[in-house]
Amino acid sequence: MDSGLIATAGVVRNNNGDWILNYNRFLDNCSIFDAEIWGLLDDLSLLHEQRHRRVIIQSNSLEAVK
């Protein structure tokens, strides 16, 4: 896989599609796969901190989902 300077970002919405929060993180030099995994981890961490119990995560990375 390609690697280089990478950042990850995401947005969290409620069940109506309304914005709750967004985030971004500079990851320096890593693979695209690592960036996808960090993005998922950030999503889950933020949702856990806000005590959301039921979530649906959408990703366009089949490798990260596996």
Side-chain angles (χ1 to χ4, degrees), residues 25-53:
R25 177 193 294 233
F26 178 69
L27 297 172
D28 201 11
N29 191 5
C30 70
S31 70
I32 295 168
F33 175 77
D34 288 342
E36 292 287 345
I37 296 299
W38 274 111
L40 292 172
L41 179 63
D42 286 343
D43 281 341
L44 293 171
S45 295
L46 290 168
L47 292 167
H48 179 73
E49 287 173 9
Q50 293 193 357
R51 301 182 190 264
H52 292 281
R53 294 181 178 260

